[in-house]
């Protein structure tokens, strides 16, 4: 597997860059945001993944290892190939994509070409825990914040399903999550939010 390439940028296209390596020009597929950081004639280093198909060998390049790992993680979900995974990283930066996955934000995920509502729900269902766990060395507070976001999304969705207006549900959940001493599991937050909303009726 080719995990990185380093060399002079020979050519920049709409969806790829050609990097010289040992006298060869290697074509690397990349997102517009990655391509925008490159300049023809300058040296570059890209983190890469080689995707092998029966009829092709395609190299995908990323500005950092985090984006490359997310690219691979997305493809573990049925129906998500390298093209859709790259499109996801083209439309959403890694932080926004991880937040959408952990929160179950279907609206954000369906902004990606090729991902419909069912695909977005499947992505979130299968990857939300992996995305939270895939932040090596993250400060404990940051991990807690991501986990709290996931709980928030689930509880707001559940309350909306019970007929509460979205804004009212979000406000109730945010009040519950503001109590840092309480245990914030989906079940406990849902119960507390329901109690808060019940008092308002």
């Amino acid at each position: 597997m080719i995990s990185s390439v380093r060399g002079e940028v020979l050519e920049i296209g709409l969806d790829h860059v050609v990097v010289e390596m040992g006298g060869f020009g290697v074509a690397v597929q990349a997102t517009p945001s990655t391509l925008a950081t490159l300049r023809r004639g300058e040296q570059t280093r890209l983190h890469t993944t080689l995707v092998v198909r029966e009829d092709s060998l395609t190299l995908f390049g990323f500005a950092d290892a985090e984006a490359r790992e997310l690219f691979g993680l997305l493809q573990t979900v049925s129906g998500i190939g390298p093209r859709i995974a790259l499109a996801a990283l083209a439309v959403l930066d890694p932080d926004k994509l991880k937040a959408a996955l952990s929160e179950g934000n279907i609206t954000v995920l369906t902004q990606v070409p090729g991902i419909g509502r069912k695909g977005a729900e499947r992505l979130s269902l299968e990857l939300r825990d992996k995305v939270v766990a895939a932040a090596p060395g993250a400060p404990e507070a940051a991990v807690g914040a991501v986990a709290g976001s996931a709980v928030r999304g689930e509880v707001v969705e559940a309350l909306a399903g019970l007929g509460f207006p979205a804004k009212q549900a979000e406000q109730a959940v945010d009040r519950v999550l503001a109590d840092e001493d309480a245990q914030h599991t989906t079940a406990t937050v849902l119960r507390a939010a329901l109690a808060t909303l019940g008092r308002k009726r």
Side-chain angles (χ1 to χ4, degrees):
M1 177 177 166
I2 302 172
S3 61
S4 69
V5 298
R6 184 197 294 272
E8 182 184 340
V9 176
L10 299 179
E11 176 191 327
I12 301 172
L14 292 174
D15 61 355
H16 72 283
V17 59
V18 178
V19 180
E20 184 173 19
M21 288 176 58
F24 293 94
V26 179
V28 184
Q29 301 290 310
T31 64
S33 58
T34 298
L35 294 171
T37 65
L38 307 176
R39 296 289 178 272
R40 191 173 176 178
E42 293 184 0
Q43 293 289 312
T44 188
R45 178 174 183 267
L46 294 172
H47 297 266
T48 57
T49 294
L50 180 64
V51 175
V52 180
R53 293 285 183 264
E54 198 172 306
D55 58 350
S56 67
L57 295 171
T58 310
L59 203 56
F60 293 86
F62 309 91
D64 54 56
E66 180 190 24
R68 180 183 63 188
E69 286 162 17
L70 200 47
F71 174 76
L73 187 63
L74 289 168
Q75 292 175 75
T76 63
V77 177
S78 174
I80 305 297
R83 295 293 173 188
I84 292 181
L86 192 67
L89 288 163
V91 173
L92 307 168
D93 64 57
D95 287 341
K96 190 170 182 180
L97 179 55
K98 286 195 293 186
L101 290 168
S102 63
E103 293 169 12
N105 193 329
I106 305 304
T107 304
V108 170
L109 293 173
T110 51
Q111 290 174 12
V112 178
I115 296 181
R117 183 172 183 83
K118 285 187 177 177
E121 288 171 349
R122 188 166 60 245
L123 272 168
S124 177
L125 182 67
E126 293 187 26
L127 299 183
R128 67 172 42 154
D129 293 335
K130 294 179 183 177
V131 167
V132 172
E140 205 171 305
V143 172
V146 174
S149 311
V151 169
R152 182 184 187 275
E154 289 172 2
V155 177
V156 168
E157 193 175 334
L159 291 170
L162 291 171
F164 291 99
K167 190 167 184 64
Q168 196 177 351
E170 287 171 359
Q171 289 172 346
V173 173
D174 287 342
R175 271 196 295 275
V176 174
L177 291 174
D179 182 0
E180 296 179 1
D181 296 327
Q183 186 182 4
H184 293 154
T185 65
T186 302
T188 58
V189 173
L190 179 58
R191 278 197 297 271
L194 279 169
T196 301
L197 290 165
R199 285 196 295 271
K200 285 189 155 191
R201 288 191 160 184

